[in-house]
């Protein structure tokens, strides 16, 4: 059963600075800031919310269909997706643009300086949900603003139930725009900080928003997940990770697991448990797409960490 994954496809270039930024920035000279950092270690990762979610869903045996826009530097990413068995039919290549890219420099204190170039992502509205073919469920993940609005309307008009996952795109929407997107969705998925921001921008508590949704799903890292249905809150505890290496893409891995459970007709709680296990497996690996698992492994971990009572 297929899922429509709308969101960003991006390259992440990660550089490591052997030192601390603070030692090279003079406080009384910030008005004429001009610094250069030698970064002896650098790696390029495949990323973007849609790419990461699709990767997670595919690990479990799902059939993700990515709806996104990429640039003329995308062949290596598209080839990787096809090699994983992930459809690229609904990915639009926009000539004379670059694929979205994040350039992240991290120092010895885990401080980061990040530059993000949206590139083709800002043209994601040119990609169409209909190109994904017959799908059972969808997700609107962080992307270009026009793309998120257009794809939400396309899913609603096609009768595709979907998760609205505003994530880091939250600041680009007004309160009324967020309410419009929530009104089209079936589920709202946020972390605890994003949930507070949604409530502040819309003027409505998450419990109130849940009255017109199947559920609001709030991830809280190691503190688990809150499920809000019909204004009532219940919790699912987190699975303890074997190691904490890199949180990049953990939320996306969770969403891939959540989608898999919902596609299979599992309960919301069971689907969230799958997501929690996927997040715990991902955090033990660097980057958003360097972990490997299977539905058999995840099912065994669920049986251990979430015994039936």
């Amino acid at each position: 059963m297929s899922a429509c994954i709308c969101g960003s496809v991006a390259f992440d270039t990660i550089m490591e600075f052997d030192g601390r930024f603070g030692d090279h920035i003079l406080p009384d000279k910030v008005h004429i800031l001009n610094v250069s950092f030698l970064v002896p270690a650098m790696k390029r990762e495949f990323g973007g919310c849609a790419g990461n979610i699709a990767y997670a869903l595919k690990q479990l045996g799902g059939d993700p269909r990515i709806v996104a826009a990429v640039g003329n530097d995308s062949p290596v990413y598209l080839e990787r997706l096809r090699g994983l068995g992930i459809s690229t039919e609904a990915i639009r290549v926009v000539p004379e643009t670059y694929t979205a890219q994040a350039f992240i420099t991290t120092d010895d204190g885990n401080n980061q300086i990040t530059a993000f170039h949206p590139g083709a992502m800002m043209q994601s509205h040119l990609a169409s949900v209909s190109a994904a073919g017959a799908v059972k469920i969808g997700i609107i993940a962080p992307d270009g603003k026009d793309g998120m609005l257009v794809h939400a309307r396309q899913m609603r008009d096609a009768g595709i139930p979907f998760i609205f996952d505003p994530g880091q795109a939250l600041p680009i929407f007004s309160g009324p725009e967020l309410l419009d997107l929530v009104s089209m969705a079936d589920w709202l998925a946020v972390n605890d900080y994003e949930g507070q921001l949604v409530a502040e921008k819309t003027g409505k508590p998450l419990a109130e928003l849940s009255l017109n949704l199947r559920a609001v799903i709030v991830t809280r890292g190691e503190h688990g997940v809150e499920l809000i249905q019909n204004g009532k809150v219940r919790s699912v505890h987190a699975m303890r990770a074997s190691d904490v290496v890199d949180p990049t893409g953990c939320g996306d891995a969770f969403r891939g697991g959540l989608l898999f459970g919902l596609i299979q007709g599992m309960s919301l709680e069971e689907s969230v448990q799958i997501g929690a296990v996927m997040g715990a497996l991902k955090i033990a690996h660097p980057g958003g797409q360097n972990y490997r698992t299977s539905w058999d492994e995840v099912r065994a971990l669920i049986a251990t960490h979430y015994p039936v009572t």
Side-chain angles (χ1 to χ4, degrees):
M1 295 181 182
S2 304
C4 181
I5 316 293
C6 298
S8 61
V9 170
F11 291 110
D12 295 332
T13 300
I14 303 170
M15 297 160 282
E16 297 179 10
F17 171 57
D18 187 16
R20 289 180 177 264
F21 297 139
D23 295 335
H24 298 265
I25 297 175
L26 303 176
D28 61 338
K29 298 294 183 182
V30 293
H31 63 292
I32 53 170
L33 188 63
N34 186 0
V35 295
S36 177
F37 301 109
L38 178 66
V39 287
M42 184 180 83
K43 56 185 177 181
R44 199 182 200 200
E45 301 281 5
F46 297 100
C49 295
N52 292 342
I53 294 169
Y55 180 85
L57 180 56
K58 189 65 181 181
Q59 292 285 298
L60 295 168
D63 178 24
R65 310 283 180 86
I66 297 175
V67 178
V70 295
N72 52 24
D73 57 345
S74 61
V76 64
Y77 204 141
L78 297 177
E79 182 180 353
R80 169 183 166 78
L81 292 172
R82 295 183 190 115
L84 292 168
I86 296 174
S87 172
T88 60
E89 292 299 313
I91 298 178
R92 179 74 173 263
V93 179
V94 183
E96 299 181 4
T97 67
Y98 289 110
T99 301
Q101 302 190 42
F103 299 89
I104 306 165
T105 303
T106 304
D107 72 1
D108 285 345
N110 286 322
N111 301 299
Q112 291 185 326
I113 296 175
T114 301
F116 181 72
H117 174 65
M121 189 183 82
M122 300 306 291
Q123 305 297 319
S124 62
H125 57 281
L126 299 176
S128 175
V129 166
S130 63
V135 296
K136 183 175 182 179
I137 197 171
I139 185 169
I140 302 294
D143 202 356
K145 181 177 182 178
D146 290 344
M148 294 178 75
L149 290 167
V150 168
H151 295 151
R153 293 179 187 127
Q154 289 177 346
M155 285 202 203
R156 177 201 59 193
D157 294 346
I160 302 169
F162 71 89
I163 300 167
F164 177 42
D165 167 29
Q168 60 264 42
L170 265 171
I172 67 178
F173 292 107
S174 67
E177 287 171 332
L178 285 173
L179 285 174
D180 184 38
L181 285 160
V182 170
S183 73
M184 292 186 276
D186 292 78
W187 301 270
L188 172 64
V190 291
N191 63 29
D192 47 0
Y193 174 79
E194 294 160 358
Q196 182 177 342
L197 191 56
V198 168
E200 290 176 356
K201 295 192 78 166
T202 62
K204 294 181 181 293
L206 295 182
E208 182 178 345
L209 290 175
S210 75
L211 299 177
N212 296 310
L213 293 163
R214 298 194 196 186
V216 176
I217 302 149
V218 185
T219 57
R220 303 176 62 244
E222 63 182 6
H223 301 295
V225 183
E226 287 185 349
L227 308 181
I228 311 175
Q229 292 178 291
N230 296 317
K232 298 180 180 178
V233 182
R234 55 197 173 98
S235 298
V236 176
H237 69 266
M239 189 187 98
R240 186 180 181 86
S242 61
D243 195 8
V244 177
V245 174
D246 180 9
T248 303
C250 285
D252 298 329
F254 173 88
R255 284 150 178 76
L258 173 65
L259 281 168
F260 180 79
L262 294 174
I263 291 170
Q264 301 299 318
M266 299 181 186
S267 70
L268 180 62
E269 185 168 353
E270 290 171 322
S271 301
V272 165
Q273 289 173 355
I274 299 171
V277 170
M278 291 296 287
L281 292 173
K282 206 286 355 141
I283 204 170
H285 298 80
Q289 301 179 26
N290 291 319
Y291 62 101
R292 296 298 300 272
T293 189
S294 67
W295 172 230
D296 286 341
E297 179 186 8
V298 170
R299 183 166 47 191
L301 289 169
I302 290 172
T304 300
H305 292 273
Y306 298 99
V308 177
T309 56

